[in-house]
Amino acid sequence: IGSGPAGLTAAYRLVKMGYPVTIFESLPEPGGMLRVGIPNYRLPKEVLYIEIRRVKDAGVEIKTDVTIGKNLTIDDLFRQGFKALFIAIGAHDSRKLRIEGEELDGVTHALELLKEVNTGKKVELGKRVAIIGGGNVAVDAARSAIQLGIKEVNILYRRSMDEMPASPLEVEEAEKEGVKIYFLVAPNKILGKDGRVVALECIQIELGEFDESGRKRPVPIEGSEFTMQLDTVIPAIG
């Protein structure tokens, strides 16, 4: 159940061991987060097609547009003769910022944005965007926003560049494309008007003692708050 990396890999290994294998995928096309969560510049769809074709050629059957629990139940699968299930539906539930205003229209989590972009949906982000986070998903969201034609795209990261987990090459490419990165900055609260995002109140950070992750702990600097006018806030913190 699920045709992302885990589902495809398990299916390929099992069919090579001689088992007949069927994958059920809820999306119209197989690939899971490989297809809808990673931009084309990092994982070209042609590469994904080749990999999926290899799995199919090995003998794996893939049924798309089937949601287990909606179109079929687990009991239905056993009644159809399946002897074992491998559940590979992923764990992509975006971590919340847990700040005031997160429920406003105009707050779009990075995975939701990437999924909409990669499935060809029309995406409206306004003119000014801020991505919260410092990993590859944050950079992917920022570069995707640039490619959508957004003129003002900012990444806000609460640590320094040295602690930023994103690939340095991709950070460099993002900056060349026009993404502005603010280091040692954290969101305080999202400001809205008529139920929609209009700004983000931020606070400057200094690095304190090392924490359990081995990095210096971000400490807010009292009285350093400032406001950034925005149309969309994109959390990408895990």
PDB file of all heavy atoms in Angstrom, residues 7-40:
ATOM      1  N   GLY A   7       7.576   1.530  -0.729  1.00  0.00           N
ATOM      2  CA  GLY A   7       6.692   0.603  -1.429  1.00  0.00           C
ATOM      3  C   GLY A   7       7.322   0.032  -2.685  1.00  0.00           C
ATOM      4  O   GLY A   7       7.254  -1.180  -2.943  1.00  0.00           O
ATOM      5  N   LEU A   8       7.947   0.900  -3.474  1.00  0.00           N
ATOM      6  CA  LEU A   8       8.588   0.442  -4.712  1.00  0.00           C
ATOM      7  C   LEU A   8       9.741  -0.516  -4.417  1.00  0.00           C
ATOM      8  O   LEU A   8       9.909  -1.537  -5.088  1.00  0.00           O
ATOM      9  CB  LEU A   8       9.101   1.645  -5.508  1.00  0.00           C
ATOM     10  CG  LEU A   8       8.052   2.548  -6.149  1.00  0.00           C
ATOM     11  CD1 LEU A   8       8.710   3.800  -6.724  1.00  0.00           C
ATOM     12  CD2 LEU A   8       7.278   1.813  -7.248  1.00  0.00           C
ATOM     13  N   THR A   9      10.539  -0.173  -3.409  1.00  0.00           N
ATOM     14  CA  THR A   9      11.692  -1.012  -3.081  1.00  0.00           C
ATOM     15  C   THR A   9      11.257  -2.377  -2.562  1.00  0.00           C
ATOM     16  O   THR A   9      11.777  -3.417  -2.986  1.00  0.00           O
ATOM     17  CB  THR A   9      12.584  -0.316  -2.036  1.00  0.00           C
ATOM     18  OG1 THR A   9      12.978   0.958  -2.544  1.00  0.00           O
ATOM     19  CG2 THR A   9      13.826  -1.132  -1.741  1.00  0.00           C
ATOM     20  N   ALA A  10      10.295  -2.386  -1.647  1.00  0.00           N
ATOM     21  CA  ALA A  10       9.801  -3.659  -1.103  1.00  0.00           C
ATOM     22  C   ALA A  10       9.200  -4.515  -2.210  1.00  0.00           C
ATOM     23  O   ALA A  10       9.439  -5.729  -2.279  1.00  0.00           O
ATOM     24  CB  ALA A  10       8.772  -3.395  -0.009  1.00  0.00           C
ATOM     25  N   ALA A  11       8.417  -3.900  -3.088  1.00  0.00           N
ATOM     26  CA  ALA A  11       7.787  -4.644  -4.183  1.00  0.00           C
ATOM     27  C   ALA A  11       8.837  -5.263  -5.095  1.00  0.00           C
ATOM     28  O   ALA A  11       8.744  -6.439  -5.485  1.00  0.00           O
ATOM     29  CB  ALA A  11       6.874  -3.716  -4.974  1.00  0.00           C
ATOM     30  N   TYR A  12       9.862  -4.470  -5.437  1.00  0.00           N
ATOM     31  CA  TYR A  12      10.909  -4.958  -6.340  1.00  0.00           C
ATOM     32  C   TYR A  12      11.674  -6.130  -5.709  1.00  0.00           C
ATOM     33  O   TYR A  12      11.919  -7.156  -6.360  1.00  0.00           O
ATOM     34  CB  TYR A  12      11.864  -3.805  -6.659  1.00  0.00           C
ATOM     35  CG  TYR A  12      12.962  -4.158  -7.633  1.00  0.00           C
ATOM     36  CD1 TYR A  12      12.697  -4.260  -8.998  1.00  0.00           C
ATOM     37  CD2 TYR A  12      14.260  -4.395  -7.190  1.00  0.00           C
ATOM     38  CE1 TYR A  12      13.713  -4.578  -9.901  1.00  0.00           C
ATOM     39  CE2 TYR A  12      15.276  -4.715  -8.079  1.00  0.00           C
ATOM     40  CZ  TYR A  12      14.995  -4.810  -9.433  1.00  0.00           C
ATOM     41  OH  TYR A  12      15.982  -5.132 -10.323  1.00  0.00           O
ATOM     42  N   ARG A  13      12.017  -5.988  -4.427  1.00  0.00           N
ATOM     43  CA  ARG A  13      12.771  -7.052  -3.756  1.00  0.00           C
ATOM     44  C   ARG A  13      11.928  -8.319  -3.626  1.00  0.00           C
ATOM     45  O   ARG A  13      12.421  -9.437  -3.817  1.00  0.00           O
ATOM     46  CB  ARG A  13      13.223  -6.583  -2.363  1.00  0.00           C
ATOM     47  CG  ARG A  13      14.195  -5.417  -2.381  1.00  0.00           C
ATOM     48  CD  ARG A  13      15.488  -5.761  -3.094  1.00  0.00           C
ATOM     49  NE  ARG A  13      16.422  -4.649  -3.044  1.00  0.00           N
ATOM     50  CZ  ARG A  13      17.563  -4.602  -3.698  1.00  0.00           C
ATOM     51  NH1 ARG A  13      17.907  -5.615  -4.478  1.00  0.00           N
ATOM     52  NH2 ARG A  13      18.353  -3.562  -3.624  1.00  0.00           N
ATOM     53  N   LEU A  14      10.646  -8.158  -3.296  1.00  0.00           N
ATOM     54  CA  LEU A  14       9.774  -9.319  -3.112  1.00  0.00           C
ATOM     55  C   LEU A  14       9.520 -10.061  -4.418  1.00  0.00           C
ATOM     56  O   LEU A  14       9.508 -11.292  -4.459  1.00  0.00           O
ATOM     57  CB  LEU A  14       8.449  -8.880  -2.478  1.00  0.00           C
ATOM     58  CG  LEU A  14       8.530  -8.519  -0.989  1.00  0.00           C
ATOM     59  CD1 LEU A  14       7.265  -7.797  -0.549  1.00  0.00           C
ATOM     60  CD2 LEU A  14       8.749  -9.770  -0.145  1.00  0.00           C
ATOM     61  N   VAL A  15       9.315  -9.297  -5.508  1.00  0.00           N
ATOM     62  CA  VAL A  15       9.054  -9.969  -6.784  1.00  0.00           C
ATOM     63  C   VAL A  15      10.307 -10.705  -7.257  1.00  0.00           C
ATOM     64  O   VAL A  15      10.233 -11.772  -7.886  1.00  0.00           O
ATOM     65  CB  VAL A  15       8.536  -8.967  -7.839  1.00  0.00           C
ATOM     66  CG1 VAL A  15       9.660  -8.181  -8.490  1.00  0.00           C
ATOM     67  CG2 VAL A  15       7.701  -9.668  -8.899  1.00  0.00           C
ATOM     68  N   LYS A  16      11.484 -10.170  -6.928  1.00  0.00           N
ATOM     69  CA  LYS A  16      12.740 -10.843  -7.265  1.00  0.00           C
ATOM     70  C   LYS A  16      12.901 -12.148  -6.466  1.00  0.00           C
ATOM     71  O   LYS A  16      13.600 -13.066  -6.896  1.00  0.00           O
ATOM     72  CB  LYS A  16      13.926  -9.919  -6.989  1.00  0.00           C
ATOM     73  CG  LYS A  16      14.087  -8.789  -7.996  1.00  0.00           C
ATOM     74  CD  LYS A  16      14.497  -9.327  -9.363  1.00  0.00           C
ATOM     75  CE  LYS A  16      14.850  -8.221 -10.328  1.00  0.00           C
ATOM     76  NZ  LYS A  16      15.240  -8.758 -11.658  1.00  0.00           N
ATOM     77  N   MET A  17      12.246 -12.218  -5.300  1.00  0.00           N
ATOM     78  CA  MET A  17      12.283 -13.429  -4.478  1.00  0.00           C
ATOM     79  C   MET A  17      11.230 -14.447  -4.916  1.00  0.00           C
ATOM     80  O   MET A  17      11.140 -15.535  -4.341  1.00  0.00           O
ATOM     81  CB  MET A  17      12.073 -13.057  -3.003  1.00  0.00           C
ATOM     82  CG  MET A  17      13.207 -12.243  -2.403  1.00  0.00           C
ATOM     83  SD  MET A  17      12.763 -11.496  -0.801  1.00  0.00           S
ATOM     84  CE  MET A  17      12.571 -12.965   0.201  1.00  0.00           C
ATOM     85  N   GLY A  18      10.430 -14.057  -5.920  1.00  0.00           N
ATOM     86  CA  GLY A  18       9.459 -14.995  -6.459  1.00  0.00           C
ATOM     87  C   GLY A  18       8.023 -14.773  -6.034  1.00  0.00           C
ATOM     88  O   GLY A  18       7.134 -15.542  -6.414  1.00  0.00           O
ATOM     89  N   TYR A  19       7.766 -13.725  -5.262  1.00  0.00           N
ATOM     90  CA  TYR A  19       6.396 -13.455  -4.826  1.00  0.00           C
ATOM     91  C   TYR A  19       5.654 -12.612  -5.862  1.00  0.00           C
ATOM     92  O   TYR A  19       6.235 -11.687  -6.436  1.00  0.00           O
ATOM     93  CB  TYR A  19       6.390 -12.690  -3.497  1.00  0.00           C
ATOM     94  CG  TYR A  19       6.925 -13.472  -2.333  1.00  0.00           C
ATOM     95  CD1 TYR A  19       8.228 -13.286  -1.888  1.00  0.00           C
ATOM     96  CD2 TYR A  19       6.117 -14.388  -1.670  1.00  0.00           C
ATOM     97  CE1 TYR A  19       8.726 -13.994  -0.817  1.00  0.00           C
ATOM     98  CE2 TYR A  19       6.610 -15.114  -0.595  1.00  0.00           C
ATOM     99  CZ  TYR A  19       7.914 -14.919  -0.176  1.00  0.00           C
ATOM    100  OH  TYR A  19       8.411 -15.628   0.886  1.00  0.00           O
ATOM    101  N   PRO A  20       4.366 -12.908  -6.108  1.00  0.00           N
ATOM    102  CA  PRO A  20       3.557 -12.000  -6.927  1.00  0.00           C
ATOM    103  C   PRO A  20       3.189 -10.783  -6.081  1.00  0.00           C
ATOM    104  O   PRO A  20       2.735 -10.923  -4.950  1.00  0.00           O
ATOM    105  CB  PRO A  20       2.316 -12.834  -7.271  1.00  0.00           C
ATOM    106  CG  PRO A  20       2.210 -13.827  -6.167  1.00  0.00           C
ATOM    107  CD  PRO A  20       3.614 -14.105  -5.681  1.00  0.00           C
ATOM    108  N   VAL A  21       3.418  -9.593  -6.626  1.00  0.00           N
ATOM    109  CA  VAL A  21       3.240  -8.368  -5.837  1.00  0.00           C
ATOM    110  C   VAL A  21       2.354  -7.369  -6.578  1.00  0.00           C
ATOM    111  O   VAL A  21       2.541  -7.133  -7.784  1.00  0.00           O
ATOM    112  CB  VAL A  21       4.604  -7.697  -5.531  1.00  0.00           C
ATOM    113  CG1 VAL A  21       4.414  -6.457  -4.650  1.00  0.00           C
ATOM    114  CG2 VAL A  21       5.550  -8.675  -4.856  1.00  0.00           C
ATOM    115  N   THR A  22       1.415  -6.763  -5.851  1.00  0.00           N
ATOM    116  CA  THR A  22       0.584  -5.672  -6.371  1.00  0.00           C
ATOM    117  C   THR A  22       0.749  -4.466  -5.458  1.00  0.00           C
ATOM    118  O   THR A  22       0.682  -4.594  -4.235  1.00  0.00           O
ATOM    119  CB  THR A  22      -0.907  -6.069  -6.411  1.00  0.00           C
ATOM    120  OG1 THR A  22      -1.060  -7.235  -7.216  1.00  0.00           O
ATOM    121  CG2 THR A  22      -1.759  -4.945  -6.984  1.00  0.00           C
ATOM    122  N   ILE A  23       0.983  -3.310  -6.056  1.00  0.00           N
ATOM    123  CA  ILE A  23       1.028  -2.044  -5.306  1.00  0.00           C
ATOM    124  C   ILE A  23      -0.280  -1.293  -5.530  1.00  0.00           C
ATOM    125  O   ILE A  23      -0.760  -1.175  -6.667  1.00  0.00           O
ATOM    126  CB  ILE A  23       2.201  -1.160  -5.768  1.00  0.00           C
ATOM    127  CG1 ILE A  23       3.548  -1.796  -5.412  1.00  0.00           C
ATOM    128  CG2 ILE A  23       2.109   0.233  -5.130  1.00  0.00           C
ATOM    129  CD1 ILE A  23       4.747  -0.997  -5.901  1.00  0.00           C
ATOM    130  N   PHE A  24      -0.873  -0.770  -4.448  1.00  0.00           N
ATOM    131  CA  PHE A  24      -2.038   0.107  -4.536  1.00  0.00           C
ATOM    132  C   PHE A  24      -1.597   1.528  -4.187  1.00  0.00           C
ATOM    133  O   PHE A  24      -0.984   1.750  -3.140  1.00  0.00           O
ATOM    134  CB  PHE A  24      -3.137  -0.361  -3.577  1.00  0.00           C
ATOM    135  CG  PHE A  24      -3.730  -1.693  -3.942  1.00  0.00           C
ATOM    136  CD1 PHE A  24      -3.213  -2.862  -3.404  1.00  0.00           C
ATOM    137  CD2 PHE A  24      -4.791  -1.778  -4.834  1.00  0.00           C
ATOM    138  CE1 PHE A  24      -3.748  -4.101  -3.738  1.00  0.00           C
ATOM    139  CE2 PHE A  24      -5.333  -3.006  -5.181  1.00  0.00           C
ATOM    140  CZ  PHE A  24      -4.816  -4.173  -4.640  1.00  0.00           C
ATOM    141  N   GLU A  25      -1.896   2.466  -5.063  1.00  0.00           N
ATOM    142  CA  GLU A  25      -1.475   3.864  -4.903  1.00  0.00           C
ATOM    143  C   GLU A  25      -2.702   4.769  -5.023  1.00  0.00           C
ATOM    144  O   GLU A  25      -3.492   4.637  -5.958  1.00  0.00           O
ATOM    145  CB  GLU A  25      -0.447   4.223  -5.970  1.00  0.00           C
ATOM    146  CG  GLU A  25      -0.123   5.698  -6.083  1.00  0.00           C
ATOM    147  CD  GLU A  25       0.391   6.297  -4.789  1.00  0.00           C
ATOM    148  OE1 GLU A  25       1.349   5.761  -4.208  1.00  0.00           O
ATOM    149  OE2 GLU A  25      -0.184   7.318  -4.351  1.00  0.00           O
ATOM    150  N   SER A  26      -2.855   5.715  -4.082  1.00  0.00           N
ATOM    151  CA  SER A  26      -4.025   6.596  -4.098  1.00  0.00           C
ATOM    152  C   SER A  26      -3.926   7.706  -5.137  1.00  0.00           C
ATOM    153  O   SER A  26      -4.939   8.215  -5.613  1.00  0.00           O
ATOM    154  CB  SER A  26      -4.241   7.207  -2.710  1.00  0.00           C
ATOM    155  OG  SER A  26      -3.135   8.001  -2.335  1.00  0.00           O
ATOM    156  N   LEU A  27      -2.691   8.085  -5.508  1.00  0.00           N
ATOM    157  CA  LEU A  27      -2.507   9.140  -6.511  1.00  0.00           C
ATOM    158  C   LEU A  27      -2.717   8.575  -7.925  1.00  0.00           C
ATOM    159  O   LEU A  27      -2.646   7.366  -8.131  1.00  0.00           O
ATOM    160  CB  LEU A  27      -1.112   9.740  -6.391  1.00  0.00           C
ATOM    161  CG  LEU A  27      -0.811  10.512  -5.104  1.00  0.00           C
ATOM    162  CD1 LEU A  27       0.672  10.854  -5.031  1.00  0.00           C
ATOM    163  CD2 LEU A  27      -1.659  11.756  -5.004  1.00  0.00           C
ATOM    164  N   PRO A  28      -2.932   9.462  -8.913  1.00  0.00           N
ATOM    165  CA  PRO A  28      -3.116   9.001 -10.297  1.00  0.00           C
ATOM    166  C   PRO A  28      -1.865   8.377 -10.904  1.00  0.00           C
ATOM    167  O   PRO A  28      -1.950   7.613 -11.861  1.00  0.00           O
ATOM    168  CB  PRO A  28      -3.504  10.275 -11.058  1.00  0.00           C
ATOM    169  CG  PRO A  28      -3.982  11.224 -10.025  1.00  0.00           C
ATOM    170  CD  PRO A  28      -3.202  10.899  -8.786  1.00  0.00           C
ATOM    171  N   GLU A  29      -0.678   8.721 -10.375  1.00  0.00           N
ATOM    172  CA  GLU A  29       0.581   8.201 -10.893  1.00  0.00           C
ATOM    173  C   GLU A  29       1.407   7.645  -9.733  1.00  0.00           C
ATOM    174  O   GLU A  29       1.354   8.160  -8.616  1.00  0.00           O
ATOM    175  CB  GLU A  29       1.386   9.298 -11.597  1.00  0.00           C
ATOM    176  CG  GLU A  29       0.696   9.902 -12.813  1.00  0.00           C
ATOM    177  CD  GLU A  29       0.717   8.971 -14.017  1.00  0.00           C
ATOM    178  OE1 GLU A  29       1.535   8.026 -14.019  1.00  0.00           O
ATOM    179  OE2 GLU A  29      -0.080   9.187 -14.935  1.00  0.00           O
ATOM    180  N   PRO A  30       2.195   6.593  -9.968  1.00  0.00           N
ATOM    181  CA  PRO A  30       3.039   6.046  -8.900  1.00  0.00           C
ATOM    182  C   PRO A  30       4.250   6.928  -8.621  1.00  0.00           C
ATOM    183  O   PRO A  30       4.636   7.747  -9.436  1.00  0.00           O
ATOM    184  CB  PRO A  30       3.459   4.682  -9.449  1.00  0.00           C
ATOM    185  CG  PRO A  30       3.400   4.838 -10.935  1.00  0.00           C
ATOM    186  CD  PRO A  30       2.284   5.807 -11.212  1.00  0.00           C
ATOM    187  N   GLY A  31       4.844   6.717  -7.455  1.00  0.00           N
ATOM    188  CA  GLY A  31       6.053   7.454  -7.088  1.00  0.00           C
ATOM    189  C   GLY A  31       5.975   8.095  -5.721  1.00  0.00           C
ATOM    190  O   GLY A  31       7.004   8.400  -5.124  1.00  0.00           O
ATOM    191  N   GLY A  32       4.773   8.315  -5.220  1.00  0.00           N
ATOM    192  CA  GLY A  32       4.627   8.903  -3.891  1.00  0.00           C
ATOM    193  C   GLY A  32       5.338  10.244  -3.791  1.00  0.00           C
ATOM    194  O   GLY A  32       5.254  11.090  -4.677  1.00  0.00           O
ATOM    195  N   MET A  33       6.082  10.445  -2.682  1.00  0.00           N
ATOM    196  CA  MET A  33       6.760  11.721  -2.466  1.00  0.00           C
ATOM    197  C   MET A  33       7.873  11.964  -3.480  1.00  0.00           C
ATOM    198  O   MET A  33       8.272  13.105  -3.704  1.00  0.00           O
ATOM    199  CB  MET A  33       7.318  11.788  -1.046  1.00  0.00           C
ATOM    200  CG  MET A  33       6.248  11.840   0.031  1.00  0.00           C
ATOM    201  SD  MET A  33       5.093  13.224  -0.155  1.00  0.00           S
ATOM    202  CE  MET A  33       6.144  14.579   0.333  1.00  0.00           C
ATOM    203  N   LEU A  34       8.380  10.884  -4.109  1.00  0.00           N
ATOM    204  CA  LEU A  34       9.358  11.082  -5.180  1.00  0.00           C
ATOM    205  C   LEU A  34       8.743  11.900  -6.304  1.00  0.00           C
ATOM    206  O   LEU A  34       9.407  12.712  -6.944  1.00  0.00           O
ATOM    207  CB  LEU A  34       9.811   9.729  -5.733  1.00  0.00           C
ATOM    208  CG  LEU A  34      10.604   8.822  -4.788  1.00  0.00           C
ATOM    209  CD1 LEU A  34      10.796   7.446  -5.426  1.00  0.00           C
ATOM    210  CD2 LEU A  34      11.944   9.434  -4.440  1.00  0.00           C
ATOM    211  N   ARG A  35       7.452  11.672  -6.552  1.00  0.00           N
ATOM    212  CA  ARG A  35       6.766  12.374  -7.641  1.00  0.00           C
ATOM    213  C   ARG A  35       6.241  13.738  -7.208  1.00  0.00           C
ATOM    214  O   ARG A  35       6.376  14.720  -7.929  1.00  0.00           O
ATOM    215  CB  ARG A  35       5.599  11.524  -8.165  1.00  0.00           C
ATOM    216  CG  ARG A  35       4.828  12.181  -9.310  1.00  0.00           C
ATOM    217  CD  ARG A  35       3.735  11.274  -9.840  1.00  0.00           C
ATOM    218  NE  ARG A  35       4.295  10.058 -10.423  1.00  0.00           N
ATOM    219  CZ  ARG A  35       4.787   9.986 -11.665  1.00  0.00           C
ATOM    220  NH1 ARG A  35       4.820  11.055 -12.436  1.00  0.00           N
ATOM    221  NH2 ARG A  35       5.262   8.855 -12.124  1.00  0.00           N
ATOM    222  N   VAL A  36       5.613  13.795  -6.032  1.00  0.00           N
ATOM    223  CA  VAL A  36       4.917  15.030  -5.660  1.00  0.00           C
ATOM    224  C   VAL A  36       5.669  15.869  -4.632  1.00  0.00           C
ATOM    225  O   VAL A  36       5.269  17.001  -4.368  1.00  0.00           O
ATOM    226  CB  VAL A  36       3.490  14.722  -5.129  1.00  0.00           C
ATOM    227  CG1 VAL A  36       2.689  13.973  -6.167  1.00  0.00           C
ATOM    228  CG2 VAL A  36       3.529  13.933  -3.822  1.00  0.00           C
ATOM    229  N   GLY A  37       6.756  15.361  -4.046  1.00  0.00           N
ATOM    230  CA  GLY A  37       7.439  16.098  -2.993  1.00  0.00           C
ATOM    231  C   GLY A  37       8.797  16.641  -3.368  1.00  0.00           C
ATOM    232  O   GLY A  37       9.373  17.422  -2.615  1.00  0.00           O
ATOM    233  N   ILE A  38       9.335  16.211  -4.518  1.00  0.00           N
ATOM    234  CA  ILE A  38      10.681  16.639  -4.912  1.00  0.00           C
ATOM    235  C   ILE A  38      10.602  17.349  -6.264  1.00  0.00           C
ATOM    236  O   ILE A  38      10.087  16.781  -7.229  1.00  0.00           O
ATOM    237  CB  ILE A  38      11.638  15.435  -5.009  1.00  0.00           C
ATOM    238  CG1 ILE A  38      11.728  14.726  -3.645  1.00  0.00           C
ATOM    239  CG2 ILE A  38      13.026  15.878  -5.455  1.00  0.00           C
ATOM    240  CD1 ILE A  38      12.597  13.492  -3.644  1.00  0.00           C
ATOM    241  N   PRO A  39      11.093  18.578  -6.364  1.00  0.00           N
ATOM    242  CA  PRO A  39      11.028  19.320  -7.631  1.00  0.00           C
ATOM    243  C   PRO A  39      11.803  18.615  -8.747  1.00  0.00           C
ATOM    244  O   PRO A  39      12.740  17.859  -8.499  1.00  0.00           O
ATOM    245  CB  PRO A  39      11.671  20.669  -7.289  1.00  0.00           C
ATOM    246  CG  PRO A  39      11.564  20.781  -5.813  1.00  0.00           C
ATOM    247  CD  PRO A  39      11.676  19.382  -5.281  1.00  0.00           C
ATOM    248  N   ASN A  40      11.407  18.929  -9.963  1.00  0.00           N
ATOM    249  CA  ASN A  40      11.986  18.284 -11.140  1.00  0.00           C
ATOM    250  C   ASN A  40      13.478  18.576 -11.281  1.00  0.00           C
ATOM    251  O   ASN A  40      14.236  17.745 -11.777  1.00  0.00           O
ATOM    252  CB  ASN A  40      11.241  18.749 -12.394  1.00  0.00           C
ATOM    253  CG  ASN A  40      11.468  17.813 -13.563  1.00  0.00           C
ATOM    254  OD1 ASN A  40      11.216  16.620 -13.457  1.00  0.00           O
ATOM    255  ND2 ASN A  40      11.951  18.349 -14.668  1.00  0.00           N
TER     256      ASN A  40
END
